[in-house]
Amino acid sequence: MYFGMQVGSINTMSPSTALISFAIFKSSSHWLAHVFTPAENVVVQTMASSIAGMPIAASMLSVISAFEFLRWPEEGGQRRFSVTELILWSLGVSLFGTVFAAPFRKYFLLRERLRFPGGFATGVLIGALHNDGEIAYIANLDKKGLPFMDSHRSIAPATEDAEDNEPDQSETPGHFSQAGSVTTILKAFGGAAIYVFVSYFVPILNALPVFGTAAADDWLWFLTLSPAFTVFGMILDLSVANSMVFEAVLGWGILSPIAKTYGWAPGHATDMETGVRVPTLHQTRDNNLVSSRTVLNWLLLSASLCAICIYFVFGREIPLYLIIAPVAIAFPLCLVVIQSTGETDTVPSNSLSNACQFLFLLMVSEAGLWQSAVLMTDLKTAYLVRASPRVMFHAQILGSLIGCFIGSAIYRFVTAVYSIPSKEFFIPLAHMWVNTARLANGGDLPKGVMPFALTAFFISACLRVINLSAGQQRWRTWVPSGVAISIGMYVPPSVTLAKLIGAGLRLYFMQRWAVSELTLMAAATGCILSEGTLGFVPMAMAALGIPRFM
């Protein structure tokens, strides 16, 4: 929720939750009746990730925040929701995405073989923590695009030289001890904590104008040294990070200045009313399995629960057809979101929900879109550790139900303690949602939107043609992805640059210093936990009037 209110994106930190759950259960192993297995580890991690993602899954950072803080008096004024109403809303919108995603595991994981960087990293980490060499072997095959026949618990015949199919020894348990992981996390936590305090006194560290003060002030082209944003890039392939930077250059470096020069978006880049971000909406394109009957039953239950809960919260303010229709429209959008997550580990749920909000005048909450992406990411982890997809499905359902209560309480606590919206908590997702709602109800599109849309379509189409014509050539992976570049325009350049640096550092440390990917994941865990936990410290110091140096 801390990062979501700041920059409009959230990460469920699956590797972190997997590591923390392992530490908790391993430290209490003498009280357990049996050994804590990798499959159990991924189930606990899935439940924790579902709970952690509830602030965005239940649209608290967009729809709810827009109602509470951004509605004008002529639109009905600001409306404050009680905790009970927040829980009912969350229960209504946070289940059907999981149901939509369940039947498509075979397509996205076994046929398309999408990477799902976050799920892959989590699976590798779990394998090392549990000293499971077969997980490292499966992960190595998956990285090479080779299949693992999980339905028969056997490895498919190799198509490359035997030595190429050997697991990466830097990722096997012998090179990653449990004690070493804890030490790495603590060191990273301490380093990020130092940055949090130092950056308060020297705030320029959060916005280094490496491209000049004009680019930094007017177009957000600055470099942030935030450890959390940098390590997020460590779970991305360098080619994906390059795709995002390509679109950041195109969108924030070329098209945005053109829009401002011609008066199409005269406001500052951060202005959600008249700035360049207003029209930034993108559309991109066995027994352990979940049975069709289970999917159908949960689909009927989740749709009914959605209608009932939203009716109790909004009454007749939202007609019944505006509740049911978005659920149906969300189904194909879930597939687009899963594709994006599989390639970039970024979930464009808000952008797609905004597009439907404008095109169909329907409030398609990003809840279902987010949950579908999270489930498929966790199913990727389950594939690597040989866990049951059916158990994973029910684990996310249970985690979502628990998260409805925890997420609602945390949201109400945060909004009661901090001033929102503010410079620190700009709630960009809520601004996007309310601006789209005004546009859909009689507002005008900024001038110049059509040339921008046609340009984006043409570039994406050309890149896709190049990608398809490349066949199996090695350079094919460096052709920018249409999905990745759309994410690059949505996210501010400073965040995209930080992710690029993180992806580059990951490659550098692994190739130059032989640092294992698991050690890097442990370091990333410490940085994210530290900055997320201590993020309130600078605001508290400012409230106490502690002076800054710069």
Side-chain angles (χ1 to χ4, degrees):
M1 185 173 294
Y2 174 80
F3 293 112
M5 286 189 170
Q6 279 192 323
V7 299
S9 64
I10 191 172
N11 191 299
T12 58
M13 300 187 296
S14 295
S16 303
T17 54
L19 191 57
I20 293 172
S21 61
F22 174 83
I24 293 174
F25 282 94
K26 270 297 183 180
S27 63
S28 57
S29 58
H30 55 284
W31 292 317
L32 302 177
H34 57 83
V35 178
F36 185 57
T37 66
E40 292 170 331
N41 202 158
V42 73
V43 168
V44 175
Q45 171 262 311
T46 297
M47 293 181 62
S49 296
S50 299
I51 295 172
M54 189 51 60
I56 197 169
S59 305
M60 293 179 186
L61 304 180
S62 56
V63 177
I64 298 300
S65 295
F67 269 92
E68 290 202 332
F69 304 111
L70 303 179
R71 280 210 306 184
W72 293 335
E74 57 268 27
E75 296 169 339
Q78 298 178 355
R79 173 181 175 178
R80 183 177 178 84
F81 297 89
S82 67
V83 174
T84 301
E85 290 176 323
L86 290 174
I87 292 173
L88 286 175
W89 163 266
S90 301
L91 287 172
V93 301
S94 61
L95 296 181
F96 57 84
T98 300
V99 181
F100 286 164
F104 292 93
R105 170 186 177 272
K106 182 176 181 180
Y107 176 78
F108 286 109
L109 298 187
L110 305 182
R111 181 178 174 183
E112 291 292 316
R113 307 199 67 81
L114 295 181
R115 176 74 182 273
F116 289 94
F120 180 87
T122 305
V124 172
L125 177 62
I126 290 176
L129 292 174
H130 290 268
N131 294 330
D132 193 322
E134 188 176 2
I135 294 178
Y137 187 74
I138 297 169
N140 196 50
L141 288 178
D142 187 78
K143 186 186 297 184
K144 297 175 181 294
L146 301 176
F148 168 70
M149 306 303 293
D150 57 347
S151 59
H152 298 92
R153 291 290 189 269
S154 62
I155 304 298
T159 58
E160 298 185 4
D161 294 337
E163 62 180 1
D164 291 336
N165 288 334
E166 289 298 322
D168 186 350
Q169 294 301 315
S170 67
E171 296 176 355
T172 55
H175 290 72
F176 189 82
S177 66
Q178 297 167 13
S181 68
V182 174
T183 301
T184 302
I185 291 174
L186 291 177
K187 289 180 178 179
F189 188 97
I194 293 174
Y195 171 82
V196 170
F197 285 96
V198 172
S199 63
Y200 172 81
F201 296 104
V202 189
I204 195 175
L205 295 177
N206 289 321
L208 291 173
V210 293
F211 302 103
T213 55
D217 295 338
D218 297 339
W219 303 109
L220 309 183
W221 278 99
F222 55 80
L223 183 63
T224 175
L225 299 183
S226 164
F229 287 136
T230 302
V231 299
F232 278 143
M234 286 187 176
I235 62 176
L236 296 177
D237 287 335
L238 187 58
S239 59
V240 174
N242 281 333
S243 295
M244 297 174 67
V245 173
F246 172 84
E247 180 60 16
V249 172
L250 175 65
W252 293 88
I254 300 176
L255 298 181
S256 295
I258 292 176
K260 186 168 185 177
T261 299
Y262 283 92
W264 301 335
H268 191 267
T270 58
D271 193 330
M272 301 299 292
E273 301 290 337
T274 61
V276 294
R277 298 188 71 180
V278 175
T280 308
L281 306 175
H282 299 277
Q283 277 182 294
T284 59
R285 56 161 207 95
D286 133 84
N287 293 330
N288 286 328
L289 301 180
V290 183
S291 66
S292 300
R293 182 175 181 179
T294 300
V295 172
L296 180 60
N297 290 339
W298 274 105
L299 179 60
L300 295 175
L301 176 61
S302 60
S304 302
L305 189 63
C306 178
I308 294 172
C309 290
I310 294 180
Y311 178 79
F312 273 110
V313 174
F314 288 97
R316 297 183 179 180
E317 187 175 350
I318 300 180
L320 183 60
Y321 76 90
L322 288 181
I323 300 175
I324 300 300
V327 175
I329 292 178
F331 175 70
L333 296 183
C334 285
L335 306 183
V336 178
V337 167
I338 292 173
Q339 181 78 28
S340 170
T341 307
E343 292 185 20
T344 70
D345 204 46
T346 302
V347 187
S349 54
N350 191 263
S351 293
L352 286 175
S353 65
N354 288 151
C356 286
Q357 190 183 357
F358 170 67
L359 295 174
F360 305 110
L361 302 181
L362 298 176
M363 187 177 70
V364 179
S365 169
E366 66 265 33
L369 310 184
W370 172 268
Q371 291 294 73
S372 64
V374 171
L375 176 64
M376 199 60 67
T377 300
D378 290 338
L379 286 176
K380 177 71 171 188
T381 305
Y383 168 76
L384 297 179
V385 306
R386 308 178 307 283
S388 166
R390 183 175 57 188
V391 174
M392 297 293 291
F393 172 79
H394 289 101
Q396 189 179 92
I397 290 289
L398 179 58
S400 298
L401 293 174
I402 297 173
C404 291
F405 296 87
I406 297 178
S408 299
I410 292 177
Y411 172 82
R412 183 48 64 220
F413 172 78
V414 170
T415 54
V417 172
Y418 298 120
S419 176
I420 298 175
S422 63
K423 183 178 180 180
E424 290 78 15
F425 295 105
F426 191 62
I427 52 173
L429 297 183
H431 279 282
M432 289 185 66
W433 191 89
V434 76
N435 285 336
T436 307
R438 290 165 183 160
L439 180 64
N441 285 277
D444 295 325
L445 277 171
K447 295 179 180 180
V449 167
M450 188 56 66
F452 273 56
L454 292 176
T455 300
F457 176 82
F458 177 76
I459 293 176
S460 296
C462 291
L463 291 173
R464 184 57 177 167
V465 170
I466 295 173
N467 186 281
L468 293 175
S469 62
Q472 299 300 319
Q473 299 292 328
R474 288 187 177 182
W475 56 266
R476 177 176 180 268
T477 59
W478 294 96
V479 177
S481 160
V483 175
I485 62 177
S486 68
I487 297 299
M489 179 174 281
Y490 169 68
V491 177
S494 56
V495 177
T496 301
L497 291 173
K499 289 185 176 182
L500 175 65
I501 293 174
L505 288 175
R506 169 178 171 270
L507 189 65
Y508 174 78
F509 283 122
M510 291 180 65
Q511 293 187 352
R512 182 67 181 270
W513 299 99
V515 177
S516 72
E517 188 167 4
L518 300 170
T519 300
L520 293 176
M521 288 301 104
T525 297
C527 290
I528 295 171
L529 288 178
S530 178
E531 197 164 347
T533 304
L534 302 177
F536 70 93
V537 173
M539 289 176 286
M541 296 171 69
L544 293 174
I546 299 177
R548 302 173 187 250
F549 297 152
M550 299 176 63

